[in-house]
Amino acid sequence: MSLDEARSAIGARFSGAEVGTGTPLVVTVSPGQWAELAAFAKETLGCRFFSFLTAVDWKEPGLEVVAKVDNLDDGLAVMMKTRLGPGVSTCASLTPIYRGADWMERECWDMFGIRFDGHPDLRRILLDDTWEGHPLLKSYAVDTPHPPYR
Amino acid sequence: MKGPIPEIPAPIWRNFKDLQEWELLHKTRPVDDKHSVLFESVTEGIHSFPGGFVVTTAADAFLNWARKSSVWPVTFGLACCAIEMMATFCSRFDVERLGMVPWASPRHSDLMIVSGTVTIKMAPMLLRIYDQMPDPKWAVSMGSCANSGGPFRHGYHVVKGVDRVIPVDVYVPGCPPPPESLLNGLLLLQEQIKHFKRTGQRAAPNEKVD
Amino acid sequence: MLDQSTVARVELDWAGPERLTMNMGPQHPSAHGVFRAIVTLEGETVVAVDAVIGYLHRCHEKLAETLTYAQYPSIASKTDYVAAMTSEFAYVMAAEEIGKVEVPKRAQYLRVICAELQRVASHLLWLGTWCMDMGGALGGGATIFLYCIREREDILDLFESLVGARLLYGFYQVGGVRYDIPDGWVAQCRATIDRIDQRIGEYEQMLEQNPFFLARAKGVGVVSRELAQDVGIAGPLLRGSGIPWDLRRTAPYSSYEDFDFRIPVETDGDCFARYRVRMVEFREAITIVRQALDKLPAGPISSRPALKSVAQIRIQKGESYARVEGPRGEVGCYLIADGSAKPYRMKWRGASFSNLSILPHIIPGHKVADVVAIMGSVDPVFGEVDR
């Protein structure tokens, strides 16, 4: 599956998706189509390698979830993005589709407070279970005190 | 003939609140060693005889020689400094010639070399391992992360120095300190142990005792 | 009254073998760093593994938003601290991709030489610690550990004369590298890698004729092709499971296309296959270093002027994902720049984070003793896992 074929396949299947040019192929969809896009990438585009999943806090426009998957046989790289919108912090989980999304989504919950619907075990992974706050949000100060340790 | 001693300027604290915080912490740190009433009474009994001091001083010196020649560190490698600590334990910068056998179990060790960044999640585990070590025990803070939080000092999950968790005897600076620096710190620790008195008087951290 | 779940648990305890939950705590002698595995055992067999990480979470991603492009590469070293230049490479390449900064040829070759030397050094440490875990620190395992660290010290000497630091460097900068090689370095480098090449052969012979090593490594920790791709592991784990994916060949960066080397692929997917992949990678890395030293062009080492202030490098708005093939796999840096001297968002795609997430899938079914062997062959570095 080459880049152009992939671009046309995505454009045909997902109306309203913004598809970029060049590598990696950046596809932006609405949150409702997130899991569908991932399943499409795995089955039709052949992207079976799950690279990473993360989120970005754009302050006013809200959070954005970014995931990247690769097709190792053809060398196709697809970067999927979805903007959750201001004030929204829930998203569909990709764990049923890609098992590698498990820990990555736990990290997004930990760092950004995004709840993933359909995740089997959403709990904090890097910080303590008793930690309050989600550090990578722009509203969280980097040197937040935590007596007596800092 | 010794070379000129370099003038190291005093550190400029960027944040006055940081300095006040550090000073307060070190003033209110608890005394670590436990006093043994039985031992003190026995010592006093020996001292009541003429020449008794010679016995206790000799016994002290012998015990301290035994302690410093056979310090067993517990392998507490946390981060990058652990790799340099492992290099120190290996054949090029051998610490076994100093009598230090790295030992995994804290129950059988005398020294904890905290090598690496202490995070808030790890701090209770560190304290638990330190508590499991029997007295007398020493701690060496290796690397700038363990000394003061290091390059990650401003991170939300980083403890600003392991001395907020356990009392430290020697601070070894560096990021990571090369094995020569760690050996320097361990030799300084041996000097401190030589002057360790059972009544609980220890040298101040990093103090050069002769 | 007992509820249904309690009744089910009690019945399980009565009917089946007892299950014991055991903690392999954050401090354990298997010298990999701060990792906690809560294993559920049935007798000697592991039934479930809950990996607890985060004991070394040092807030890299948040700190990167407060540090400039000139300041961060030395901090980037501290993610994968065993092969520190890998992470610097990824960060610097991401910044260069957004800023469209050209890197001179000499700098590219120097980057390749250092990256491959780091690969050799990292694999030496891996071999030493893995064999020490399997052999016991006071038993036979320390033999090969001391040998491997002895070779690694030679490579660290090379780095010390080049950069000034043994373990953590700030060698890569946006636009090139920071230091040029001193006189005599090329000859010292050639002598070192010749010596290491010969000694690796000795270690291979020593290990592969050892029946205990073979018993502990063959057939243990099999990762299937499908699972490997689904979870997203990379590096020797992927190549040990039969997938010929190496970023240096499939998406070459920094003049890797100028060098002639082969990609080892094994199909078994067990610990022994990953061991074989890494042993061949030793040889191939040494080949690449030799070729790069032969063809090293003259020229500038950086396309940007020398750094005089920390905010000197500004990258325009954009985003990119740059990845390098580190000793552990694909280390990636997803960088969003916003025109100032500091990034807006920086995410580390840590190779060890993805590699470690395979443990809950492959360990169940093995014995307790195999947990250590599998963890060693996965080769995690917790700076990368926890960032």
Side-chain angles (χ1 to χ4, degrees):
Chain A
M1 166 110 359
S2 77
L3 202 63
D4 296 313
E5 285 171 35
R7 199 181 293 128
S8 52
I10 294 173
R13 172 69 190 275
F14 296 95
S15 57
E18 302 160 28
V19 185
T21 50
T23 53
L25 190 61
V26 180
V27 183
T28 313
V29 291
S30 66
Q33 295 173 314
W34 181 238
E36 220 185 301
L37 175 62
F40 180 74
K42 187 165 188 188
E43 273 125 45
T44 316
L45 300 181
C47 294
R48 284 188 298 272
F49 181 80
F50 185 78
S51 193
F52 68 91
L53 185 146
T54 184
V56 184
D57 183 8
W58 290 107
K59 295 197 252 213
E60 274 88 56
L63 294 162
E64 178 183 30
V65 180
V66 179
K68 179 165 185 285
V69 293
D70 281 276
N71 183 337
L72 296 185
D73 305 314
D74 304 331
L76 174 72
V78 177
M79 193 170 299
M80 317 187 290
K81 297 190 185 192
T82 176
R83 294 241 170 182
L84 298 181
V88 176
S89 60
T90 52
C91 181
S93 167
L94 296 189
T95 311
I97 308 166
Y98 290 103
R99 272 175 286 183
D102 188 350
W103 277 22
M104 303 271 181
E105 286 175 353
R106 276 177 67 185
E107 193 194 331
C108 279
W109 157 242
D110 198 0
M111 295 283 124
F112 289 94
I114 301 178
R115 287 211 156 266
F116 288 92
D117 304 318
H119 192 281
D121 183 22
L122 196 66
R123 57 194 159 103
R124 288 195 184 259
I125 189 169
L126 292 177
L127 300 173
D128 242 335
D129 284 326
T130 56
W131 195 271
E132 280 165 20
H134 297 280
L136 275 175
L137 292 173
K138 291 286 178 181
S139 51
Y140 194 95
V142 68
D143 49 4
T144 305
H146 195 282
Y149 297 124
R150 49 172 294 107
Chain B
M1 185 164 128
K2 281 188 171 177
I5 299 163
E7 278 287 330
I8 301 169
I12 300 169
W13 291 92
R14 293 199 182 274
N15 192 344
F16 192 57
K17 187 167 155 301
D18 263 346
L19 172 62
Q20 285 179 319
E21 226 177 64
W22 192 88
E23 282 185 342
L24 197 66
L25 190 72
H26 284 269
K27 266 187 217 138
T28 57
R29 220 170 58 189
V31 177
D32 40 333
D33 262 341
K34 300 185 180 61
H35 290 226
S36 164
V37 177
L38 173 64
F39 196 87
E40 279 200 48
S41 52
V42 166
T43 315
E44 243 172 84
I46 297 176
H47 285 175
S48 64
F49 289 100
F53 286 103
V54 178
V55 174
T56 48
T57 319
D60 246 350
F62 174 72
L63 282 174
N64 284 338
W65 169 81
R67 279 192 194 111
K68 84 171 169 100
S69 309
S70 163
V71 184
W72 285 11
V74 63
T75 57
F76 204 76
L78 296 172
C80 345
C81 284
I83 310 294
E84 286 296 45
M85 187 176 71
M86 275 158 40
T88 316
F89 291 161
C90 284
S91 36
R92 192 179 182 187
F93 302 99
D94 201 4
V95 291
E96 254 180 86
R97 55 191 161 143
L98 307 175
M100 301 196 181
V101 179
W103 207 246
S105 164
R107 299 276 182 200
H108 305 166
S109 43
D110 305 294
L111 171 68
M112 174 184 261
I113 304 181
V114 182
S115 52
T117 321
V118 186
T119 57
I120 294 177
K121 196 168 181 180
M122 189 68 196
M125 313 284 162
L126 191 147
L127 187 59
R128 191 183 286 191
I129 301 280
Y130 187 74
D131 287 338
Q132 286 178 353
M133 287 165 63
D135 278 321
K137 54 192 174 191
W138 288 270
V140 167
S141 155
M142 176 184 177
S144 56
C145 285
N147 290 347
S148 72
F152 306 103
R153 186 178 170 82
H154 299 293
Y156 45 84
H157 198 233
V158 173
V159 177
K160 287 189 184 177
V162 75
D163 51 13
R164 294 193 180 211
V165 186
I166 59 174
V168 172
D169 294 287
V170 174
Y171 294 88
V172 181
C175 188
E180 300 98 38
S181 282
L182 181 61
L183 273 176
N184 190 15
L186 291 173
L187 290 171
L188 181 62
L189 180 74
Q190 284 197 330
E191 290 297 304
Q192 289 193 352
I193 294 175
K194 202 166 91 170
H195 292 269
F196 168 63
K197 292 196 192 324
R198 195 61 186 86
T199 52
Q201 290 167 28
R202 288 192 178 203
N206 264 26
E207 181 186 332
K208 264 194 155 352
V209 285
D210 299 307
Chain C
M1 280 306 277
L2 294 177
D3 61 343
Q4 278 305 103
S5 59
T6 319
V7 167
R9 276 203 300 276
V10 166
E11 278 178 357
L12 180 66
D13 284 345
W14 268 109
E18 276 181 14
R19 287 195 172 183
L20 174 73
T21 309
M22 197 179 75
N23 184 40
M24 260 180 80
Q27 188 256 350
H28 55 78
S30 153
H32 287 291
V34 282
F35 173 62
R36 184 170 172 211
I38 305 174
V39 294
T40 312
L41 302 172
E42 249 183 36
E44 189 77 13
T45 320
V46 176
V47 168
V49 168
D50 183 19
V52 183
I53 59 175
Y55 290 99
L56 199 62
H57 177 62
R58 295 187 279 195
C59 333
H60 271 270
E61 299 182 1
K62 191 83 180 175
L63 278 175
E65 296 168 13
T66 61
L67 293 169
T68 65
Y69 295 104
Q71 288 174 318
Y72 192 72
S74 358
I75 310 291
S77 300
K78 301 172 216 286
T79 47
D80 180 1
Y81 42 80
V82 172
M85 292 194 181
T86 314
S87 323
E88 290 180 40
F89 205 166
Y91 179 77
V92 156
M93 257 175 47
E96 287 165 359
E97 233 179 84
I98 308 177
K100 311 242 185 322
V101 179
E102 277 289 319
V103 180
K105 207 68 173 158
R106 185 178 173 87
Q108 289 186 8
Y109 273 57
L110 283 176
R111 283 182 177 184
V112 166
I113 293 173
C114 287
E116 293 306 313
L117 283 175
Q118 287 276 261
R119 191 182 312 273
V120 176
S122 165
H123 283 337
L124 280 168
L125 188 74
W126 159 77
L127 188 65
T129 51
W130 184 48
C131 295
M132 188 166 78
D133 290 343
M134 294 200 294
L138 293 179
T143 310
I144 193 160
F145 180 64
L146 292 174
Y147 284 155
C148 287
I149 299 292
R150 177 186 59 176
E151 316 314 335
R152 195 180 137 89
E153 292 287 329
D154 290 335
I155 298 187
L156 295 185
D157 277 346
L158 282 174
F159 285 129
E160 193 170 5
S161 52
L162 176 63
V163 180
R166 277 166 51 105
L167 198 74
L168 303 172
Y169 329 87
F171 183 53
Y172 291 41
Q173 290 289 339
V174 175
V177 295
R178 202 163 171 188
Y179 304 104
D180 205 348
I181 54 179
D183 299 326
W185 195 84
V186 176
Q188 190 190 354
C189 189
R190 280 193 215 271
T192 305
I193 57 180
D194 287 339
R195 200 167 48 232
I196 291 179
D197 204 358
Q198 182 232 330
R199 292 213 177 125
I200 297 291
E202 290 172 16
Y203 305 152
E204 255 183 328
Q205 229 183 358
M206 187 168 90
L207 285 171
E208 285 172 32
Q209 291 173 2
N210 186 335
F212 298 106
F213 174 77
L214 296 174
R216 285 200 75 166
K218 280 205 179 201
V220 170
V222 177
V223 179
S224 66
R225 276 182 74 120
E226 188 266 330
L227 181 68
Q229 290 199 44
D230 211 23
V231 173
I233 61 178
L237 280 82
L238 201 59
R239 294 194 280 281
S241 296
I243 301 172
W245 178 256
D246 187 328
L247 286 170
R248 298 174 288 170
R249 182 54 59 76
T250 54
Y253 51 94
S254 184
S255 305
Y256 265 107
E257 58 267 12
D258 295 350
F259 304 112
D260 181 28
F261 57 99
R262 64 187 174 100
I263 306 295
V265 179
E266 302 274 329
T267 48
D268 289 332
D270 59 0
C271 292
F272 191 75
R274 299 192 271 275
Y275 155 82
R276 285 298 326 151
V277 167
R278 287 188 176 107
M279 294 315 265
V280 177
E281 279 186 3
F282 267 123
R283 304 293 180 8
E284 298 308 314
I286 289 175
T287 315
I288 297 176
V289 175
R290 283 200 186 114
Q291 291 176 35
L293 286 174
D294 289 336
K295 299 196 267 192
L296 187 65
I301 52 167
S302 175
S303 65
R304 297 190 66 96
L307 286 176
K308 298 264 187 319
S309 77
V310 291
Q312 195 169 343
I313 304 174
R314 283 169 192 275
I315 307 281
Q316 67 260 25
K317 270 199 195 189
E319 66 170 47
S320 85
Y321 176 66
R323 46 196 185 156
V324 304
E325 180 75 24
R328 273 158 205 92
E330 177 182 322
V331 177
C333 180
Y334 176 59
L335 191 67
I336 300 183
D338 64 351
S340 71
K342 301 181 186 176
Y344 184 80
R345 166 92 171 102
M346 199 270 310
K347 146 110 186 140
W348 280 115
R349 190 252 186 225
S352 299
F353 185 76
S354 305
N355 290 356
L356 204 66
S357 57
I358 203 153
L359 286 186
H361 299 285
I362 55 171
I363 289 187
H366 287 95
K367 301 271 187 268
V368 173
D370 294 330
V371 175
V372 165
I374 296 172
M375 257 195 65
S377 80
V378 163
D379 192 15
V381 165
F382 285 90
E384 256 188 335
V385 175
D386 295 335
R387 279 157 283 134

